[in-house]
Amino acid sequence: MGDGAAKTELFEQLARVGKALGSGKRLELLDLLAQGPRSVADLAAVARFGLTTASSHLQALKRAGLVTTTRHGTTIEYALAGDDVAALWLALREVAARRVADVRPAAAAYLGPEDTEEIDRAELLRRVSAGTAIVLDVRPAPEYAAAHIPGAVSIPLDELAGRLEEIPADQEVVAYCRGALCVFSHDAVRLLAARGRRAVRLVDGFLEWQLAGHPVDVHDR
């Protein structure tokens, strides 16, 4: 029959992961770490958290085994503990979108109106193979440097308006960013369209691309 106390202890240990995920700030940190390893200071700056807040949430994630740390000189760098953690974050997000009614309007408020054309990964691969499109990575440069879709050109969103001449005017642009809940590719396509360029966005992003087993160019650390 098994020991009742032992069963209770087992489920309490399992709950440690659930408790670690029970914070929007921690989920945002996981979303950032899915793009590649980051220092505490970098994560705090990108997420607009205080350094102490970021450190506290990262420690909670570490205690649950979801992130690991590596020391580089005086800098402590955090990383996801494995692709299974990235897959867990993606699964949580997808279940929440299906089961929590408030997720969709919150996403719409963040991402903006559905005024940009999207394509899936299969169509992106087809267009790249045919030589009819350029893949544009609009994430911040450190995320591109950590890993990116092979052949993608890096122009961070905040630099795009000033670097349009780097994109051939006769080719369509397929923009991508962190994932399906990343606003950068939406804004990039809006900007490009306003400047008379043909542009679409990848329906999801780098997280989904990597978890689907597609090839990536990885920065050699």
Side-chain angles (χ1 to χ4, degrees), residues 95-197:
V95 170
R98 287 194 298 268
R99 303 299 180 184
V100 180
D102 291 338
V103 169
R104 290 189 183 277
Y110 175 58
L111 298 173
E114 295 182 4
D115 57 354
T116 57
E117 182 181 348
E118 63 186 30
I119 63 171
D120 61 18
R121 283 173 258 127
E123 180 61 18
L124 181 149
L125 289 167
R126 189 195 68 77
R127 294 188 190 189
V128 170
S129 296
T132 61
I134 291 175
V135 182
L136 181 65
D137 187 321
V138 294
R139 298 174 299 160
E143 297 177 19
Y144 174 88
H148 56 270
I149 295 176
V153 175
S154 173
I155 304 181
L157 177 63
D158 60 1
E159 301 176 14
L160 184 57
R163 296 175 59 184
L164 288 178
E165 72 282 355
E166 298 178 30
I167 304 172
D170 61 344
Q171 283 195 291
E172 183 176 52
V173 175
V174 180
Y176 78 90
C177 53
R178 293 168 178 155
L181 296 182
C182 176
V183 72
F184 297 158
S185 61
H186 294 255
D187 288 345
V189 170
R190 291 174 184 129
L191 187 156
L192 288 164
R195 301 296 179 88
R197 300 296 187 97

Side-chain angles (χ1 to χ4, degrees), residues 13-54:
Q13 293 304 319
L14 294 173
R16 291 173 63 184
V17 172
K19 291 174 182 176
L21 296 175
S23 161
K25 287 184 169 62
R26 290 177 202 152
L27 294 182
E28 187 172 353
L29 292 171
L30 287 179
D31 191 48
L32 290 171
L33 288 171
Q35 310 302 310
R38 312 284 279 259
S39 70
V40 180
D42 187 31
L43 287 165
V46 174
R48 299 180 182 178
F49 298 163
L51 196 60
T52 300
T53 297

